[in-house]
Each structure stands twice: as structure tokens, then as C-alpha cells.
Amino acid sequence: MAYSEQVREAFRAELEGIREKGLYKEERLIHSPQSADIRVEYPEGAEVREVINLCSNNYLGLSSHPEVIRAAHEGLDARGYGMSSVRFICGTQDIHRKLEHALSEFLDTEDTILFPSCMDANAGVFEAILGPEDVMISDRLVHASIIDGIRLCKAMHDTYKHANMKHLEQKLEEHQDKRLRMIITDGVFSMDGDLAPLDEIVALAQKYDAMVFVDDSHASGFIGKTGRGTPEHFGVMGKIDIITTTLGKGLGGASGGCVAGRQEIVDLCRQRARPYLFSNSVAPPIISASLKVLEILSATTERRDRLEENARFWRQGLSEAGFVIKAGDSPIVPIMLFNAKLAQDFARDLYEQGIYVTGFFFPVVPAGQARIRTQLSADHDIPMLESALVKFKAIGDKHGILGLDKKAIIAKFGL
Amino acid sequence: MAEEMKDLIIDYIRNEYLDEEDDDMELDESTPLITSGIVDSFSMVSLKRFLEKKYSISIPDEEATPDAFNSVTSIMTLVQRHLG
Ligand SMILES: Cc1ncc(COP(=O)(O)O)c(C=O)c1O
């Protein structure tokens, strides 16, 4: 079977379908290092413009930090460019183990295993430890990579309403007949910016004999007084059985992820987790730079403190301006617009004003909950955010939504 | 019987998938469930298990499609087929 005209036509029709639904994603070319202000070419061929970046996961501003870059250079010089091997054949250097130890200490877990990404960690961990006699009970809004991991695992799967502890308790009761129960949640939910109530989850886990899994990708390095993540925020450090997180967001932004947690769980992942066994080892410069990131964050809380201040300023500014925002204790601040087209128009208008944000709508978020997601960074400063606020207000005014509540916005624009 | 089944399924969907703030939302036998996002395909399994337990039937995975679960009417058709 060749790549015939018929095959080509079939794929083209699918692409056209995506376009017609308004779901076609396009990349924007960035002509600078990742930062709070970047130079963007969009659409391709257009003049490059300087914009304030409010949509990256560069929470701690470490993606282009001079010390991190220097550490990457040192790693490159001392340990080379790549490993050309998976971990267990000849892909583990001393610094890989050193980083795993450093992560265990930072996250207060018994051990840690690195994966090529957190997507891979989530895809591999459940299958490695759970079987058909077990049940995974997940929050309905967990990240796509967790959903993939759950699908690959043979254990039974059930879900509870987002952050709804009554519903979770009901499910835990219902599944008392299983061998093992695992509660699965994001620490900070990436589309909403709210935190899973880990103190209550841990209490339920103890009451109903369940393990707890937390994906802290949008929390590691900055949530909690010393940035150790949502377990620190809720006072349950050491009580989470599995933490997965990424090195690709706050912790430097390059790539790599991990499973941190109970010794036996980490050991089982080393024996069985397919993305760990069958995908290449994280490159030495990234390992070396990640060690530096943890060193910086362990020495001072200055960056997470600044981020917290920026997020507080931004949330307050948007609220006072009359936007509907989702409440939360994180640097993810969604501005609710409910209507998908309004979200797209809003993002485009802001880009014209030099503000880079993205609109999200169904199926990425539930239907009727379209929004602009803004993300703060320790790299932003108050004058920068003040000027962004002025522009948000101008565009909000243009669309006549300032001061309107959810009902009024929906009445005006529909769903 | 059909009326009873309808009410039972609608009740289950309200409790299992809607939040208190959705209380004023209309939900009847023809309301789209999957395409509207009320039930996502990921969370559909608990509805399937509920039906299987309640009616002592077994719905093969290949029949538990988003289409078959998209409205209370289509769910009832599926259940009735298995009730024989
Ligand atoms: C909650 C969550 N988990 C996992 C990932 C995947 O992380 P990585 O980029 O390391 O694969 C992301 C990133 O999009 C995420 O938001």
C-alpha cells in the first residue's frame, strides 16, 4: 500500500475538519530566549514584535538564567552532549543519580527515578505498579498524560468530581473490595490554577486505606513556603506515596520528569516502567543545569516569593478591573470568558497590543468555560504587569465585559 | 418500566456528573451528554458499571461507544437490547 492520492485526501479531509471546528493549532516563532518579554513572529512571515509573555510555564524565570546556562555548559564540557542509551544499558552517569538524590531531598521522598519527561512518568507509573485487582480513582480534571497512563494500566478506573471530597469518599467506600486503591490528582490544576485539597485527600486516604498520587508539575519549585510543592502548602510532606513532576516548567524549563515516592514504587518503575526502559536518558547538560536549579531554590526563596507577589498583584488588578477570574493560590490565573469566540478574539486583540496570551475552549476545557489563561513568572516585574493590566482593561472595555458576572457575560455572548 | 428507567438514569447522571451549581440545568432524555461535555468519555465508565450492576447485564466495551452513551434515550435502547 502506497501513500496514494486517496490516503492523502482522507488525511486532508481530517485536517479540514479540525480547521472547520476552529481547533487548528498554529505555532508562533519566537526569536529570543524564553523570558517575560520575547520577540515573536506571528503569523509566519509577519514582522517580529516585542511582546510581554503571559503564557509560559517559566514560573521561576530560570529558563534563561545565567547560572543555569553556565551549569548546562559545564555539564556539556564535563559529561558530553548525549548518552546514546537508555538508562539501564549505559545511560546512567553519576550526575543522573545525583539529581535523583537531590530531587528526593527537595521533595522529601524515599527515592526518585528520572524519566525523559513527566508525560512519560505519568504514562509509565500506573502500569508498573497496579493490576486488575486494583482501582485508580482520579479527579476528573487530571492532565492528559495521566489519562494516557490510566488507559495503559489494567487496574479498574473510576473518577470523582473535580476536587469534590464528598464524591471521592463515596468512591473510596464503593471500592473497598479492591486489593489496592490509588487516589490520583494534579497538585495544581493547569487549566484552572486551583490546588487539590491534599490535606483532606490524605485524611481520606488514611481512613479508607488508599495510596495518594500527585502530579506537581505546576507546583514544584514555588508552591509552599519553600517551594517544595502542594504537599508543603497543605502540611502533608512525606505523606504522598507518589509525586510526579517535570523539569520542563518551573524547575528550569528544559525537559525531563520524574516519579518520586516510596522506595518500592520507584524500584518497580526501574524494572517495569516502559518509557524509562525504552526511551533515551536525559542529556547531561540538562541534568547538570537541573542540579543547579535545585541548588538555587534550596539556597533562597527569593524567586518563589517574587512570583507569589506578582500573582497576588495580578489577581487583585484583574478583579478590581472587573474581570471574572478563577480563585486559587497559584500563578495560573484564568480569566473566564465562557464563549469560545470571545476568548479567541480577546487573545488576538491582546496580541495586537503586545500581550501574548492564549485562549482555551472546548475540548481543552469543559464546554461553556472558555477562558484566557495567564501565567505569571518571577521574571515579570510590577511595572510590566501594570502596563499589561492597562491593556487588558482596554480590551475588556472594547468587548464590554468589565464588571459583568458569569451570567451577564453568557447573556451577552452566548455559550 | 421505561419511565422508571429514564428517571433512574437521569438521577444517576445528575448525582454523578453535575455539580450543585448546575442544579438549574435542564436534563431530559434527549439532552446530549457526551458531545455537550456533561459526561466526558474518560468518566463514562462509572455510568456503564452502574447500568450493568443495576440491570444485571454486561455491556461489551465495543458497544459502550460515545454515540451509544450520548443521550438517555440511546442509553435506554442499549440497556433494553441487553435485557432481551
Ligand atoms: C500537569 C502536567 N503533567 C505533566 C505534564 C507533562 O510534562 P512534560 O512536559 O515533562 O512531559 C504537563 C505539561 O504539560 C502538565 O501540565
Side-chain angles (χ1 to χ4, degrees):
Chain A
M1 167 94 170
Y3 196 71
S4 66
E5 268 314 299
Q6 259 170 319
V7 175
R8 198 184 286 280
E9 272 315 309
F11 289 153
R12 282 185 180 158
E14 277 186 46
L15 285 165
E16 201 41 50
I18 298 173
R19 251 185 255 273
E20 272 166 17
K21 288 195 199 118
L23 299 176
Y24 201 85
K25 289 171 277 303
E26 283 174 63
E27 294 166 349
R28 306 183 188 200
L29 303 184
I30 298 171
H31 289 245
S32 55
Q34 186 62 279
S35 173
D37 47 358
I38 49 177
R39 293 164 45 74
V40 180
E41 172 190 339
Y42 182 76
E44 244 179 280
E47 200 181 325
V48 174
R49 46 188 310 176
E50 187 115 355
V51 296
I52 296 180
N53 188 359
L54 279 165
C55 57
S56 90
N57 302 315
N58 183 20
Y59 297 113
L60 292 166
L62 294 172
S63 306
S64 311
H65 188 278
E67 278 186 59
V68 176
I69 292 172
R70 196 173 321 118
H73 277 294
E74 284 164 11
L76 187 61
D77 291 338
R79 294 289 185 281
Y81 170 64
M83 289 311 296
S84 304
S85 168
V86 300
R87 283 288 298 276
F88 80 94
I89 297 180
C90 57
T92 302
Q93 291 172 325
D94 56 339
I95 54 173
H96 288 84
R97 263 321 266 164
K98 201 169 157 195
L99 178 58
E100 288 174 339
H101 290 315
L103 281 164
S104 304
E105 189 176 324
F106 191 77
L107 300 170
D108 192 17
T109 59
E110 293 171 13
D111 200 357
T112 297
I113 170 173
L114 284 169
F115 280 76
S117 69
C118 188
M119 165 102 199
D120 283 331
N122 290 338
V125 61
F126 304 113
E127 191 195 17
I129 57 174
L130 300 177
E133 322 89 300
D134 309 324
V135 63
M136 308 173 278
I137 307 175
S138 68
D139 187 289
R140 286 214 175 122
L141 293 189
V142 294
H143 189 256
S145 55
I146 296 180
I147 295 181
D148 283 5
I150 286 173
R151 290 207 160 116
L152 290 169
C153 176
K154 295 203 171 57
M156 181 186 267
H157 173 231
D158 208 341
T159 59
Y160 60 96
K161 291 184 220 181
H162 176 53
N164 186 325
M165 293 299 105
K166 242 175 35 200
H167 202 215
L168 171 59
E169 181 158 17
Q170 222 174 295
K171 298 288 183 174
L172 285 164
E173 268 170 12
E174 194 181 321
H175 293 295
Q176 281 303 302
D177 58 338
K178 306 298 182 303
R179 183 186 67 156
L180 302 172
R181 286 156 289 285
M182 183 175 286
I183 304 169
I184 300 172
T185 183
D186 290 12
V188 171
F189 288 87
S190 54
M191 285 297 153
D192 295 75
D194 58 335
L195 277 58
L198 289 190
D199 46 352
E200 295 176 60
I201 289 177
V202 165
L204 283 175
Q206 276 161 359
K207 182 166 172 198
Y208 291 96
D209 190 21
M211 294 181 280
V212 180
F213 167 104
V214 177
D215 178 338
D216 236 6
S217 289
H218 290 274
S220 295
F222 50 93
I223 299 291
K225 277 279 161 272
T226 64
R228 309 307 165 101
T230 50
E232 183 182 29
H233 179 93
F234 287 103
V236 291
M237 278 182 88
K239 295 188 177 158
I240 308 297
D241 303 291
I242 305 178
I243 299 171
T244 62
T245 193
T246 181
L247 303 172
K249 301 189 197 295
L251 302 180
S255 69
C258 69
V259 169
R262 305 294 176 198
Q263 187 64 58
E264 298 71 22
I265 292 176
V266 171
D267 290 347
L268 274 174
C269 283
R270 263 187 232 283
Q271 300 310 312
R272 287 200 194 137
R274 297 171 67 83
Y276 167 87
L277 293 172
F278 301 120
S279 187
N280 201 35
S281 181
V282 179
I286 295 178
I287 300 293
S288 169
S290 299
L291 278 164
K292 176 56 76 178
V293 164
L294 293 182
E295 188 189 312
I296 294 173
L297 297 181
S298 302
T300 160
T301 60
E302 183 197 327
R303 291 193 162 259
R304 58 88 47 210
D305 295 345
R306 192 169 344 130
L307 174 61
E308 193 170 60
E309 224 164 89
N310 285 346
R312 197 176 307 128
F313 176 85
W314 185 243
R315 281 182 184 277
Q316 193 182 341
L318 288 173
S319 290
E320 283 171 7
F323 286 101
V324 179
I325 61 171
K326 284 227 174 206
D329 274 321
S330 80
I332 300 174
V333 187
I335 295 152
M336 300 307 293
L337 298 169
F338 308 102
N339 174 289
K341 180 162 186 308
L342 178 60
Q344 284 167 295
D345 291 347
F346 212 92
R348 197 197 48 233
D349 289 348
L350 280 169
Y351 185 74
E352 289 300 313
Q353 299 284 319
I355 308 286
Y356 187 5
V357 291
T358 355
F360 291 95
F361 40 90
F362 186 70
V364 178
V365 296
Q369 291 196 35
R371 68 196 64 179
I372 300 278
R373 178 180 68 171
T374 57
Q375 293 168 282
L376 284 303
S377 167
D379 257 1
H380 292 124
D381 56 32
I382 298 296
M384 203 179 231
L385 294 176
E386 272 169 346
S387 99
L389 260 184
V390 170
K391 287 163 182 167
F392 268 80
K393 282 185 213 168
I395 304 300
D397 205 28
K398 173 181 162 184
H399 292 280
I401 59 161
L402 295 181
L404 299 190
D405 64 5
K406 173 178 176 180
K407 277 213 166 86
I409 296 176
I410 293 174
K412 188 163 174 167
F413 293 91
L415 275 183
Chain B
M1 166 76 189
E3 201 56 29
E4 199 179 299
M5 184 187 288
K6 185 186 88 182
D7 292 342
L8 204 70
I9 297 176
I10 288 179
D11 264 2
Y12 180 82
I13 291 171
R14 268 202 188 282
N15 288 329
E16 178 69 15
Y17 299 105
L18 296 182
D19 284 318
E20 280 104 55
E21 62 181 273
D22 301 320
D23 269 355
D24 53 351
M25 194 167 132
E26 270 184 54
L27 181 64
D28 61 29
E29 65 268 35
S30 58
T31 308
L33 300 173
I34 308 274
T35 50
S36 65
I38 294 176
V39 182
D40 63 86
S41 54
F42 181 57
S43 306
M44 211 174 77
V45 284
S46 51
L47 175 55
K48 174 175 178 281
R49 276 199 298 267
F50 165 76
L51 296 168
E52 291 181 326
K53 210 160 160 188
K54 188 84 213 165
Y55 295 105
S56 309
I57 54 175
S58 156
I59 304 171
D61 283 347
E62 59 274 20
E63 288 183 40
T65 60
D67 256 355
F69 276 76
N70 201 32
S71 72
V72 173
T73 303
S74 62
I75 293 170
M76 286 169 64
T77 310
L78 178 69
V79 171
Q80 258 141 7
R81 194 164 64 235
H82 286 279
L83 280 173

